[in-house]
Amino acid sequence: MDVSQDVLYGLQLSGKDIVIEDSVYIQLLQGARCSLEKTNLNPTSFIIDKQLQDDLKLSDVHEKRALFGLTSFLLECAKQNVTLDEIRAVLEESNFSPKRIQHFLDVYHQHKDSIRRNLARISSFEKAQIVDVNWRLDYNIKNSQSDKVNQLSYLVDLHTLHPGESEIKIVSMTCSLEQLQDLVGKLKDAVRCVEKQVSS
């Protein structure tokens, strides 16, 4: 399992008895788990929230880095549905004691499904779907700055539907012929890419 250097550093701090005491380690791991099971988890930017840091009374930089490492590692493990043996190997490399390894594995095993459900809720499948398109061609003869413009422009309305909502929202845009041709070309490329993936 690949782990980034920042996460690995946080894990190594978490594994050091001298830096992070056992009681603090348990609090950090429970805090990491709680933050990943929150219903308002932000999928676009993963930041350990200030309230959690205050609740855990984190004042030391090492404790904050350890919390980041534990939370990120727990998130990646759940996201990739990693086996307990793979987790054990990473934690052993990070010099975790057998007791801390077992505690991490227990928390992961007990809460993996709820973390995965939360990840599924905020996954990329929650994006809006385009359900309809309307367009019209406008021809601008002149504008307030000049007498003659003689320019074609396309007004495109994308009708989108978000999962779990019944109201259709409209995204409007104006583009030139070249911009519209570019958009259509990119959409055709995307369709070909998806068809290729489905057929293979």
Side-chain angles (χ1 to χ4, degrees), residues 43-69:
T44 56
S45 64
F46 177 67
I47 300 170
I48 308 291
D49 68 15
K50 182 85 170 97
Q51 184 62 43
L52 176 62
Q53 290 184 29
D54 291 343
D55 290 347
L56 294 174
K57 296 177 178 53
L58 299 181
S59 57
D60 185 65
V61 172
H62 296 305
E63 291 175 357
K64 291 177 183 179
R65 291 294 299 263
L67 177 63
F68 169 77

Side-chain angles (χ1 to χ4, degrees), residues 152-199:
L152 291 174
S153 64
Y154 291 88
L155 300 173
V156 181
D157 291 333
L158 302 176
H159 298 254
T160 61
L161 182 63
H162 291 269
E165 294 181 13
S166 59
E167 182 182 338
I168 293 178
K169 296 180 181 172
I170 298 175
V171 177
S172 298
M173 63 179 146
T174 304
C175 52
S176 66
L177 176 63
E178 294 81 18
Q179 291 169 327
L180 186 61
Q181 288 173 335
D182 188 43
L183 176 64
V184 169
K186 288 179 181 179
L187 289 173
K188 286 180 181 179
D189 288 344
V191 168
R192 280 192 291 270
C193 229
V194 168
E195 287 172 347
K196 186 186 286 186
Q197 289 296 323
V198 169
S199 66

Side-chain angles (χ1 to χ4, degrees), residues 28-122:
L28 293 176
L29 187 55
Q30 291 303 324
R33 177 200 49 88
C34 288
S35 70
L36 294 176
E37 290 181 322
K38 288 189 335 189
T39 55
N40 61 348
L41 185 64
N42 185 350
T44 56
S45 64
F46 177 67
I47 300 170
I48 308 291
D49 68 15
K50 182 85 170 97
Q51 184 62 43
L52 176 62
Q53 290 184 29
D54 291 343
D55 290 347
L56 294 174
K57 296 177 178 53
L58 299 181
S59 57
D60 185 65
V61 172
H62 296 305
E63 291 175 357
K64 291 177 183 179
R65 291 294 299 263
L67 177 63
F68 169 77
L70 288 169
T71 307
S72 300
F73 185 61
L74 191 59
L75 175 73
E76 277 304 309
C77 290
K79 184 171 125 186
Q80 296 178 24
N81 202 15
V82 176
T83 65
L84 297 178
D85 290 334
E86 290 175 287
I87 295 171
R88 185 184 306 277
V90 172
L91 295 178
E92 284 174 351
E93 286 177 21
S94 298
N95 299 320
F96 273 58
S97 68
K99 181 179 171 184
R100 288 190 184 193
I101 291 173
Q102 192 56 50
H103 192 74
F104 188 95
L105 294 176
D106 291 343
V107 168
Y108 174 73
H109 184 69
Q110 290 172 1
H111 300 280
K112 175 179 76 168
D113 292 335
S114 65
I115 294 171
R116 286 180 61 81
R117 275 192 303 274
N118 203 15
L119 286 172
R121 184 184 58 75
I122 61 170

Side-chain angles (χ1 to χ4, degrees), residues 126-140:
E126 295 272 331
K127 302 285 187 212
Q129 295 180 349
I130 298 174
V131 293
D132 195 14
V133 176
N134 290 333
W135 65 275
R136 76 170 193 247
L137 176 62
D138 274 356
Y139 185 74
N140 295 328

